[in-house]
Amino acid sequence: MRLTHLSITNFKNYARLELDLPAGTTIVHGDNAQGKTSFLEAIFYLATTRALGSQTDAQLINWVAQQSGLPYARLWAQAQPAASGATDRAPKQLEIIWSQDPSPGGASADGAARLQKSLKLNGVRKRALDWVGQLAVVLFVPADLELVTGPPSQRRHYLDHLISQIDVKYLEALHIYTRVLLQRNQHLKRLQERGGPAESLHLWDDQLVTHGTYLVLRRQAVMTQLDELAQRVHPQLTGGRERLRLLYRPNLNVGQPVDYQLPLTLGADFSATYHQPQLDGGEVAAHFYARLRDGEPRERAQGITLAGPHRDDLRFLVDGVDMNIYGSRGQQRSTALALKLAEMELMHAQTGEHPILLLDDVLSELDAERRRYLVGRIDAHEQTLLTTTDLTQYACQFTRPVCVMRVREGIMRRDEAREREIVRDLTSSPLSPDQVGGEGLG
Amino acid sequence: MNSIPPSVTRLIDEFSRLPGIGPKTASRLTYYLLRMPDEQAKSLAAALSDLKEKTVTCQVCFNIAERSPCATCADEARDHSLICVVEEPLDVMAIERTREFKGTYHVLGGAINPIEGILPEDLKIAELVARVKREDIHEVILATNPNLEGESTAAYIQRQLAPHTRKVTRLARGLPIGGDLEYADEVTLMRAIEGRREM
């Protein structure tokens, strides 16, 4: 899959942008706060219908347009599915429009306009659910490191978004599960306040178990796949010195207790010790029911549901050592990168399309060895869009033609003069270490 | 500064409390009423006070009625061994419009929804169980809404009634009449396949 044209109106830094995008690599450079990340965010939004951070839609609209009193914004892109493999090869047009709600109650209490968002695929209006999987992207940002170092909730969210992009049923199950969980937790709180018969609490259990079990099984299947893919990528990032495992640690771990803290074991044979749990739907459901039944006194005391996939976690082990706790910065970075590269392979395996890669100022964080590997992958990829403040770090790294764009105050211009610097003249000498720099291996 | 008479602002405030009506619509309605002929305004006021004075909740089915038991519950021609359980009085009207249903009703007063502070004991579920035990009921039809809360409520009532009645049924779910298969969402279509019938 690749984008052939992108049109942006009143989105973040951009008042207006019309851009034809070539295949291969496009590098967007410019100073801070000029619109580099906004450019990637526009594409990310078109693919996933969500913002990068926790911004509301109104905050995405260009602030000049907001003051003009007629908030209107639009993202439009044309995408061309790959020539091989895909059955549906016609180009697709994806469009997202925000406009002011025309109804009389269209303004909220603070006077700000309420926005209506509509999604259109090839000019036909679609629901958010039907949007899933239309445009596959993988986003690399420096904050990916937090997937390794951060709390379990970030890893769960990451996995949820990833699976939702390839499986609509997962998205629906997640939606219902979240709602049932909220109802059940509120039910527990009301029981705490007023007392009363506890048996009514279990009226939520059937739906919680049905949808929760689906989440557990899908998460397990996807993590098993990611684990295999990451095991192939990781040695190339680390010179084959270390072995990475990505493990799913379900809260409903049938048969064995959850190992919240893994022992520090070093040794080559660790992979035999840590299996992905092989779960069976019937067993998970039975275990889930049992946990809900047995946990009732504690749940009533604490006022929350204590068992279920909303308390799952993922474990990233390098040579058997838990990266979340014991990893060095360098190891954590390689782990995060391996995870994202595995995600890219997974999307390809699941959809038959190479996802579009979006990299937001990622290379500056990497050392020479890993940077060279990543650039090699990008160089060979169908379409990549990356941003940087410093073009020199890409000097002579690419073998295929690269399109360089310079962005200033929301205006983008082709920068052909710099394009030759980026592409490696195969006759010239290999890179000297001081050209690439970066931090040492962890 | 405040030149609006208190009797006018009071009505505006009262209107603002209604669902779907904001301060602007409330003042528009109020000034419309001010210009209305006297007898029309009086008739509206009478209708409003009758609404509260002359209506009661039927003690059998808990629908809104002018007397208890209500006309439906008192109707000898209807099948009293058949109860249709609905969430709100408006649902009764919807089913009555079909002219297909000849049994009686039971209005729960909502669905179990702890987020809104509604637990099973806030609904007329215990009353339904008592009614089923007391009367000779052959079938209870659960006609709560096909959303998360409605489904959970139906499942809960089914469990409560199971020991006391012969038959508990749930409204069928599936494709709308005049609909297009192509545009049906996956969940609805899945349910329609599950609930298919021999022809």
Side-chain angles (χ1 to χ4, degrees), chain A residues 127 130 168-169 172 176 179-180 182-183 186-187 190-191 194-197 199-200 202-204 206-207, chain B residues 112-122 147-149 151-153 155-156 159-160 185-187 190:
Chain A
R127 298 179 308 161
D130 301 321
V168 187
K169 250 182 93 186
E172 284 183 312
I176 301 172
R179 178 87 187 163
V180 177
L182 188 66
Q183 286 284 23
Q186 284 296 325
H187 200 139
R190 308 270 173 196
L191 285 176
R194 333 181 183 166
E199 111 273 355
S200 62
H202 296 292
L203 70 97
W204 305 107
D206 286 345
Q207 302 214 53
Chain B
I112 302 170
N113 189 341
I115 296 174
E116 308 276 326
I118 304 170
L119 295 195
E121 58 265 30
D122 301 320
N147 54 26
L148 175 65
E149 288 74 21
E151 295 288 352
S152 303
T153 308
Y156 179 75
R159 244 173 254 173
Q160 302 290 308
D185 67 280
E186 282 156 48
V187 179
M190 229 162 65

